[in-house]
Amino acid sequence: MTALPAPTTAIIVVAAGSGTRLGAGVPKALVDLDGRSALSHALNGVFAARAMQIVVVAPAGHEQEVADELIDADGGRGRRASVVVGGETRQQSVAAGLAALHPGIEVVLVHDAARALTPAAQIDAVAAAVTAEAGVIPALPVVDTLKHVSGDEVVGSVDRSLLAAAQTPQGFPRRALEAAYSRASQTGDEHTDDAALFTAAGGSVRRIHGSERAFKITTPSDVERARMLLGERVPTPPVLPRIGVGTDVHAFGGEGNLWLAGLEWPGERPLSGHSDGDAVAHAIVDALLGAAGLGDIGQHFGTAHPEYTGAHADVFLARTAAMLAEAGFAIGNVSVQFQGNRPRFSARRAEAEEVLSAALGGAAVTVSATTTDRLGFPGRGEGIAVTAVALLVPLG
Ligand code: CTP
Ligand code: MG
């Protein structure tokens, strides 16, 4: 078996930061995302990219955990990587990684473990774009409008077309990067990324297009974003059923027979009103519409809708049920009670419930009647008052 040529590209994965802005109590790279750490995901991307020397820069005191993460991310494929201990600043950590490079390395990529979901393709693209003369960074256009501020005061705007948000890995010709690092350690200058350090030493850097997935985990909301992208089931609030209440009042009056609770009542005085005056049906419609947040009976069936003049409960209820289904609700049950001296209801209760229930596509409807001890308009026999309560179950 012929040995593969040693890679001439290396990647330094810096994972030695403490993650103070995240405040997780453990170094940020070791924070659990979905049963696996941020570092483990970052290494996944690195291992999926083209073959490179891999150096992981670990937080002091966590070298063993990082070594374990490496074995875990490797998944038994036996790829090798070295672990070195990082420093106080990111720059010192990169410097520690540089010291571990094999002699034959010509191109160095420096990558934040905190950019845990960086696609392997981005690592490969950076590695391929580095030249002997220039470094390469992945960057995204800035989407927010940026301001110059002084304390609370906005003192100016920034032309965002001149800006790009830098990501990692950032790639450089090795010798030039090493020279830039030794210059920085002499001057004592601290830079927040390698491109800044490299250009400060006179190097040139080009950019390629970055990736949304290569965002840096910095705050707790970034952890949430990473978890969501990893498809972990994020706890969703329980879907609660919805209740609605509807009332209706009609006076007795007019010609013909009474219509109430979906039934015709021969010999009983009718209720007056638009349509057939069936106050039970109308209260049910309002309870259902209210529970669904779909407005009220006047809006959908009022005088502006002459097609419902004289219509009976079955028409209103069937139309309401169709609207609810369209809006994504199933009817749990409806409970209605009316107050009135007439009609005597109990003998026809089952019949009424059956009619109303059928009009609602089979949902359970229960109806009761009561008198008011001769009090109020129902007690004086002037009309009927109805209260309905409906329960809806949101679908999906
Ligand atoms: N890093 C490092 N050594 C340091 C500081 C940072 O290796 N002394 C690494 C981090 O582990 C991270 C990357 O550099 O992968 C980017 O740094 P940053 O996002 O600032 O991470 P932290 O410094 O850990 O976070 P914070 O600034 O909130 O403390
Ligand atoms: Mg930091």
Side-chain angles (χ1 to χ4, degrees):
M1 196 171 98
T2 339
L4 289 171
T8 56
T9 300
I11 186 163
I12 297 169
V13 181
V14 283
S18 53
T20 43
R21 284 168 289 180
L22 185 60
V26 288
K28 192 160 72 180
L30 300 176
V31 163
D32 182 278
L33 296 181
D34 59 347
R36 291 175 47 207
S37 68
L39 175 62
S40 171
H41 282 284
L43 291 172
N44 227 24
V46 169
F47 282 143
R50 64 151 102 160
M52 301 177 192
Q53 183 195 348
I54 299 168
V55 180
V56 183
V57 185
H62 293 274
E63 300 88 319
Q64 190 53 53
E65 272 163 275
V66 168
D68 291 345
E69 293 283 10
L70 269 165
I71 292 165
D72 191 43
D74 176 53
R77 279 167 288 197
R79 289 159 303 194
R80 298 183 59 82
S82 42
V83 178
V84 299
V85 178
E88 284 289 302
T89 64
R90 183 182 184 281
Q91 199 166 306
Q92 287 169 15
S93 294
V94 177
L98 284 173
L101 295 184
H102 294 155
I105 296 300
E106 291 164 13
V107 168
V108 186
L109 310 189
V110 183
H111 188 35
D112 292 336
R115 298 184 188 274
L117 304 187
T118 304
Q122 179 158 319
I123 301 171
D124 281 334
V126 171
V130 177
T131 65
E133 290 76 38
V136 173
I137 65 165
L140 285 180
V142 173
V143 290
D144 288 320
T145 293
L146 301 173
K147 302 292 180 198
H148 281 298
V149 291
S150 169
D152 286 347
E153 202 183 339
V154 175
V155 293
S157 292
V158 182
D159 180 359
R160 71 176 168 218
S161 68
L162 301 174
L163 300 174
Q167 300 183 328
T168 70
Q170 301 188 346
F172 306 90
R174 175 196 183 164
R175 297 294 168 205
L177 184 65
E178 284 175 337
Y181 261 88
S182 61
R183 181 179 178 277
S185 71
Q186 278 155 26
T187 58
D189 290 345
E190 275 289 332
H191 301 276
T192 52
D193 76 348
D194 307 283
L197 179 144
F198 194 72
T199 50
S204 65
V205 178
R206 298 177 48 75
R207 67 168 166 144
I208 61 170
H209 202 74
S211 144
E212 296 282 352
R213 282 183 76 92
F215 71 96
K216 183 158 70 82
I217 296 173
T218 306
T219 62
S221 73
D222 297 323
V223 171
E224 287 305 306
R225 182 177 170 194
R227 285 181 178 152
M228 249 159 25
L229 287 169
L230 286 167
E232 193 188 78
R233 283 174 58 82
V234 203
T236 47
V239 179
L240 296 174
R242 296 177 57 122
I243 60 162
V245 66
T247 62
D248 198 22
V249 167
H250 278 295
F252 290 113
E255 303 295 315
N257 287 329
L258 169 71
W259 280 85
L260 190 72
L263 302 179
E264 187 177 15
W265 299 78
E268 295 284 347
R269 283 184 72 197
L271 291 164
S272 63
H274 177 61
S275 79
D276 63 356
D278 187 339
V280 166
H282 300 174
I284 293 174
V285 170
D286 260 347
L288 290 169
L289 293 175
L294 289 174
D296 61 22
I297 191 167
Q299 184 182 335
H300 298 285
F301 303 97
T303 46
H305 298 271
E307 68 272 26
Y308 294 111
T309 310
H312 297 303
D314 54 344
V315 176
F316 288 90
L317 294 177
R319 175 72 197 122
T320 303
M323 285 167 60
L324 296 180
E326 254 169 62
F329 292 102
I331 303 170
N333 75 299
V334 178
S335 172
V336 200
Q337 185 174 53
F338 74 84
Q339 298 176 342
N341 300 338
R342 303 221 34 104
R344 295 277 171 227
F345 188 67
S346 56
R348 298 189 74 189
R349 179 204 312 277
E351 197 187 340
E353 289 177 349
E354 200 173 308
V355 166
L356 296 170
S357 169
L360 288 177
V365 180
T366 49
V367 188
S368 60
T370 186
T371 56
T372 59
D373 215 9
R374 297 202 197 102
L375 294 172
F377 66 85
R380 293 191 296 271
E382 295 165 12
I384 279 180
V386 188
T387 305
V389 176
L391 184 110
L392 297 185
V393 181
L395 301 169

